Amino acid sequence: MTGAIPPCQVAVVLASPADPVASAQLLATARRLATVAGTGVFALVTGGEGAPHPDATGADAIVRFATACDVTDPESLLHAAHEVVLRARPRVLLFAHDAAGREVAPRLAARLGAPVITDCVDAHIDAAGTLTAIRPCFSAKALSDWSVPAPHLAIVTLRRDASPGEAASAASPPPDGGLVLPSAPAPRLRVIERHAPPPGELQLEAAEIVVAAGRGVGSRQDFQTAIANGLAKDLGAAFGGSRGAVDLGIVPQELQIGLTGRVVSPRVYIAVGLSGAPQHMAGCSGARTIIAVNTDPRAPIFGYAHLGVVGDYRAVLPSLASELRRLAPAR
């Protein structure tokens, strides 16, 4: 490594330039922890020298690879994070709870023999240096506290929040360059094929509005017509569905939301024909407003929803889309 890392005991791995909100929230949490601990923050970014990377405003320094790190290759990101821990000895290492963070953080913890706390919604540190992370449990029906006393390294993955939250305070972006990791070793994975979402299709985790389908939507064709090319398109929203809808072939597997799928925290979550099983609600409990449309007035989803409509979605969605467009600010 060229240069030297300043005395910053909170490290942040910024692996997704496509999600600036998640990066900003990671840095805000890191800055808050560092302020209490009386230390600083550095960010590991995955772009090579001179390459685009997530905005690291709020960090005191940037650490990067000499060449760009392919975040789709967990070995490269694992190597980078491992090098940072060995050389800088941070007290806390934060990842986003995304595909990269979910895979790399536990592997890094196993390699280092360090504790890892995943899928957290917040973290704080006390005057004695004990790091406490807060994570949902029992299908998001409760919150649990997990603590790591000083001086042990704590590895934490943080769930993306729907609200902007506090901004990471810094007078200016940190200096770029000078702190460079050697290039990662040759990857052991070989990419055979890549599947990218169609241009203009929103990513679930980053969307402010999500429309989700359950078994009650009926068929893949109905999902495409009424939701993917209907309500979601009208609202500029992302779309997905429950595991039940995925199992029936109504919704593609990569769009599954829930305990065994994606975790989303949009401003508005519209559940269509969705019963509201706890396993699904664990994936959308961070939504600020849940709107449910279901023909069964006793469906569990109405116990979670802020607004509910009992009726056939085929009759409800056109009117709902029209009213939401009227109330929503101009995009």
Side-chain angles (χ1 to χ4, degrees):
M1 180 187 294
T2 60
I5 295 180
C8 303
Q9 288 301 300
V10 182
V12 180
V13 178
L14 302 180
S16 177
D19 193 353
V21 173
S23 297
Q25 289 169 349
L26 276 177
L27 286 163
T29 300
R31 175 57 60 189
R32 178 162 44 81
L33 296 175
T35 299
V36 174
T39 181
V41 177
F42 65 83
L44 169 64
V45 300
T46 53
E49 291 182 276
H53 59 75
D55 183 2
T57 299
D60 297 294
I62 286 179
V63 182
R64 62 163 67 249
F65 268 148
T67 57
C69 167
D70 184 358
V71 298
T72 64
D73 173 23
E75 292 289 339
S76 295
L77 192 54
L78 177 63
H79 170 79
H82 190 218
E83 286 288 321
V84 165
V85 171
L86 292 181
R87 296 170 186 264
R89 300 292 179 184
R91 168 72 179 87
V92 182
L93 182 62
L94 301 179
F95 289 83
H97 190 69
D98 54 14
R102 286 195 296 269
E103 178 159 2
V104 173
R107 293 176 65 180
L108 178 64
R111 180 177 290 190
L112 296 169
V116 59
I117 313 168
T118 61
D119 195 21
C120 299
V121 294
D122 200 3
H124 56 82
I125 197 167
D126 63 20
T130 297
L131 185 284
T132 300
I134 303 167
R135 68 186 306 270
C137 58
F138 302 114
S139 298
K141 290 186 175 67
L143 298 174
S144 57
D145 291 353
W146 297 73
S147 297
V148 180
H152 303 288
L153 166 68
I155 301 174
V156 177
T157 69
L158 283 175
R159 183 183 293 191
R160 188 188 193 278
D161 190 8
S163 58
E166 58 185 317
S169 58
S172 61
D176 188 6
L179 307 173
V180 181
L181 289 170
S183 298
R188 294 187 295 174
L189 292 176
R190 182 168 61 92
V191 178
I192 298 174
E193 190 176 4
R194 294 183 187 271
H195 291 272
E201 183 176 306
L202 292 175
Q203 297 300 301
L204 274 169
E205 289 87 351
E208 292 194 340
I209 304 174
V210 172
V211 185
R215 294 172 181 263
V217 167
S219 69
R220 175 70 70 92
Q221 180 60 45
D222 290 331
F223 172 74
Q224 290 293 334
T225 301
I227 294 179
N229 296 319
L231 183 64
K233 185 175 181 180
D234 289 342
L235 299 178
F239 47 84
S242 66
R243 178 169 181 171
V246 169
D247 289 345
L248 290 176
I250 297 171
V251 176
Q253 192 278 330
E254 63 270 18
L255 299 180
Q256 179 180 323
I257 300 168
L259 198 61
T260 55
R262 308 283 194 91
V263 175
V264 298
S265 301
R267 288 192 301 113
V268 179
Y269 189 80
I270 304 174
V272 181
L274 204 152
S275 65
Q279 291 82 358
H280 176 78
M281 300 312 298
C284 63
S285 60
R288 294 168 65 183
T289 301
I290 297 176
I291 301 173
V293 180
N294 201 296
T295 56
D296 182 3
R298 296 173 296 178
I301 187 66
F302 289 118
Y304 298 94
H306 301 88
L307 300 169
V309 180
V310 178
D312 190 320
Y313 76 89
R314 296 172 183 83
V316 172
L317 292 193
S319 297
L320 177 61
S322 176
E323 185 65 12
L324 288 175
R325 282 197 301 269
R326 185 184 70 82
L327 296 173
R331 292 191 302 271

